[in-house]
Amino acid sequence: LPRTEAIVTPYLDALNSAPRIALAPVLIVIFGIGQEPKIFLAGTLVIFVVLMSARAGVHSADQDYLKLLTVMGASKFQVFMKALLPVSIPSIAAGLRLGLIYSLLGVVAMELIASRSGLGQLIAQYSAVFAMEKVYAILIVLVVIAASSPATASPTRKSRSRKSRCPSASTPKNPRARGHLFPRWPRSISRVLR
């Protein structure tokens, strides 16, 4: 949807460039001191990271494949489900991994400003009395939490030799050399459009 993207992108970029930590006093007035402003701030940090990652993933789709699906009569929903969504899933997953780190930073920053409890509040208390060893201990705890999260762990991918879905039994080293322009495509485009 290039027309929708052209309309929405400037507004998303403007909202993304706004310093959301500056909204902390407004969020405290709206939600009060508690969990709600932390959740809202973390959500606003994550949503833009995931949106930008999803947009980058959609733009990485093979244009020849999209044109072929359109020529073969695929609806917009079919193009989205069969081509755009599978291509953008790795980018969305990467955006979620990055968004987890940003949300953790946002929550700690919100706790530093105003909170009854939390690691950010402990950092503020210990910094006020110059107990720097405790501040560093909390920072190490935050690093361990972020590093041990399953979302930040890089998936170990085993390189498996997948059989080609083309009529030929194996894909040549240079697929274009033997006339196989699209070696990973299914035998019939009608299978893709089901």
Side-chain angles (χ1 to χ4, degrees):
L1 302 169
R3 202 175 288 167
T4 307
E5 182 183 0
I7 294 169
V8 172
T9 298
Y11 297 106
L12 286 178
D13 291 340
L15 287 172
N16 189 29
S17 63
R20 277 159 322 265
I21 197 66
L23 296 176
V26 177
L27 295 176
I28 291 169
V29 168
I30 294 173
F31 296 112
I33 296 177
Q35 299 298 325
E36 293 84 4
K38 299 177 197 176
I39 293 169
F40 186 83
L41 183 66
T44 59
L45 290 170
V46 171
I47 192 76
F48 288 107
V49 173
V50 174
L51 280 175
M52 298 302 172
S53 299
R55 188 174 82 175
V58 167
H59 283 294
S60 69
D62 186 9
Q63 294 300 316
D64 293 334
Y65 190 50
L66 296 177
K67 286 177 187 174
L68 181 65
L69 286 173
T70 306
V71 167
M72 296 300 291
S75 66
K76 289 184 179 181
F77 181 74
Q78 288 174 324
V79 169
F80 175 76
M81 292 301 292
K82 299 294 183 181
L84 297 179
L85 184 63
V87 167
S88 62
I89 284 177
S91 297
I92 293 171
L96 286 172
R97 282 196 298 270
L98 188 61
L100 177 74
I101 303 299
Y102 281 131
S103 66
L104 183 64
L105 293 174
V107 167
V108 171
M110 191 70 180
E111 289 174 349
L112 279 168
I113 294 171
S115 180
R116 292 190 185 98
S117 61
L119 292 176
Q121 188 62 33
L122 286 176
I123 290 173
Q125 288 175 2
Y126 292 139
S127 296
V129 295
F130 297 105
M132 298 312 291
E133 68 280 356
K134 294 181 181 178
V135 171
Y136 290 136
I138 293 171
L139 292 177
I140 291 170
V141 168
L142 287 171
V143 169
V144 169
I145 289 172
S148 65
S149 166
T152 57
S154 72
T156 56
R157 295 179 182 162
K158 297 178 182 176
S159 60
R160 298 178 187 169
S161 59
R162 295 189 301 177
K163 291 185 179 179
S164 174
R165 294 169 68 186
C166 276
S168 62
S170 65
T171 305
K173 290 184 180 179
N174 184 0
R176 295 181 190 268
R178 296 189 189 172
H180 297 284
L181 293 178
F182 307 104
R184 289 189 175 177
W185 283 24
R187 292 183 181 146
S188 168
I189 196 67
S190 62
R191 282 178 44 200
V192 174
L193 298 179
R194 284 184 207 161

